[in-house]
Amino acid sequence: MPKLAGKTALVTGGARGIGRALALKLAAEGAHLVINDLDAAPLAETGAEIETRGGTVATLAGSVTEDGFAESFVDLALQRFGGIDIIVNNAGYTWLGTAAQTSDTQLEAMLRVHVMAPFRLLRAAHAPIRQMHERERAEGREVFRKVVNISSMAGTGGVAGQFAYSTAKAGLIGVTRTLCREWGRLKVNVNCVAYGLIETRLNMLRETGGNVVRIEGHEIELGLSRRFKENTEAMIPLGRIGTAEEAADGAYLFCIPESNYVSGQVVTVSGGLSI
Ligand SMILES: NC(=O)c1ccc[n+]([C@@H]2O[C@H](COP(=O)([O-])OP(=O)(O)OC[C@H]3O[C@@H](n4cnc5c(N)ncnc54)[C@H](O)[C@@H]3O)[C@@H](O)[C@H]2O)c1
């Protein structure tokens, strides 16, 4: 029996990288997937891959920061699959710069995608989760639901040159810890995964060029310098950068019944790296 049979999992930013790997993993364990991404084409491709492997999926393209996105995403899950069991706030990107270099626009963009959007999605999910919980309680059943917020070691420790991103990812830890206290009585486990260095589009080498993406009207250069990447990799106790699948496995631990008594935690998935 798959571990997540009959559960419905919502994953933002599920078209590529860690979100894609996690969506595939959750689907392989029997969950119905509701996935979103800014980019419609890779989102459709991930959706098709889930179906090819025998899973069920609904997709919603668009930015998590759009007004009304949270309500539409929650409605899609309820209408297609009749419930919400797992919410993974994964959509995000880096917009680098020291504090001195950071504009108001840049900080606002990072806060909107990493704090405001997860908050709005969780707020929109609150009423249906409460209703489902009350029904289950009346039936004498204890059903756990899962929130996994995807943060970063930039958020736990701060990284020079990543001011807006680090600040926003630290904010998401605040969301996690507070919601753990507010939603515990609804039997919702709220946890956070802080990644170290994972090999995705975010960490491509800047020197290879061509990694400028257009997000919400801004031209943003993703990637890391060779020097930063190599120096960081040299400090990883397990000796190398993690894969998207390994990163997804770390988040998966908070989606399964074995973590039902774990809440309010920030777990670093970094090959042992700490800052
Ligand atoms: N890769 C790492 O080393 C690392 C480290 C720490 C934290 N993270 C976090 O992990 C998460 C996943 O990143 P990844 O490394 O897989 O990167 P990625 O770029 O491969 O995937 C991120 C996905 O999120 C989508 N996205 C970005 N902004 C969005 C928006 N506003 N609305 C909807 N979708 C949006 C992108 O289109 C992309 O498909 C992010 O929150 C990132 O900050 C990654």
Side-chain angles (χ1 to χ4, degrees):
M1 178 81 166
K3 258 186 208 296
L4 300 173
K7 303 284 186 191
T8 298
L10 288 69
V11 180
T12 64
R16 49 170 86 76
I18 299 165
R20 180 185 201 281
L22 182 58
L24 289 168
K25 175 108 186 155
L26 295 171
E29 281 300 332
H32 305 299
L33 263 294
V34 185
I35 54 174
N36 142 272
D37 205 277
L38 198 55
D39 297 328
L43 178 67
E45 191 279 321
T46 299
E49 183 63 27
I50 289 172
E51 285 176 342
T52 302
R53 297 185 192 189
T56 48
V57 63
T59 60
L60 182 63
S63 176
V64 291
T65 63
E66 278 166 25
D67 289 345
F69 166 78
E71 291 73 17
S72 304
F73 203 44
V74 163
D75 284 352
L76 180 61
L78 293 173
Q79 279 168 24
R80 281 293 300 278
F81 302 121
I84 296 175
D85 298 283
I86 298 164
I87 299 176
V88 184
N89 281 305
N90 167 76
Y93 61 97
T94 47
W95 196 352
L96 305 187
T98 64
Q101 295 161 339
T102 294
S103 64
D104 290 0
T105 304
Q106 198 173 338
L107 180 57
E108 274 169 15
M110 289 289 92
L111 290 171
R112 278 169 60 82
V113 71
H114 296 294
V115 179
M116 183 70 98
F119 153 67
R120 284 170 152 184
L121 179 55
L122 297 169
R123 183 177 59 184
H126 177 257
I129 286 178
R130 186 173 194 97
Q131 273 179 12
M132 290 183 278
H133 166 71
E134 281 171 3
R135 203 168 47 237
E136 289 150 5
R137 196 177 55 170
E139 294 165 1
R141 294 189 297 129
E142 193 176 49
V143 177
F144 288 87
R145 292 187 165 76
K146 312 284 182 177
V147 171
V148 186
N149 292 323
I150 302 302
S151 185
S152 166
M153 288 180 69
T156 56
V159 172
Q162 302 191 6
F163 174 78
Y165 179 73
S166 300
T167 301
K169 286 299 199 189
L172 190 52
I173 294 172
V175 172
T176 305
R177 294 220 159 106
T178 309
L179 221 67
C180 155
R181 295 176 186 276
E182 294 187 357
W183 286 19
R185 298 300 158 103
L186 302 178
K187 307 294 174 191
V188 181
N189 306 110
V190 188
N191 290 296
C192 187
V193 175
Y195 291 119
L197 199 54
I198 307 299
E199 193 63 70
T200 68
R201 183 181 71 148
L202 284 194
N203 294 330
M204 284 170 61
L205 285 179
R206 284 195 165 197
E207 285 83 347
T208 57
N211 206 19
V212 175
V213 294
R214 192 165 179 80
I215 299 183
E216 299 178 285
H218 304 290
E219 300 269 319
I220 293 164
E221 187 184 6
L222 302 178
L224 298 172
S225 70
R226 184 182 299 278
R227 189 159 160 261
F228 181 92
K229 198 169 173 179
E230 287 179 357
N231 286 347
T232 307
E233 183 168 20
M235 292 189 295
I236 297 174
L238 287 178
R240 61 167 173 78
I241 294 176
T243 65
E245 288 71 26
E246 288 168 329
D249 285 348
Y252 172 75
L253 299 176
F254 290 123
C255 299
I256 56 177
E258 284 83 346
S259 61
N260 281 352
Y261 204 61
V262 181
S263 197
Q265 301 307 301
V266 182
V267 164
T268 301
V269 175
S270 64
L273 182 67
S274 58
I275 54 174

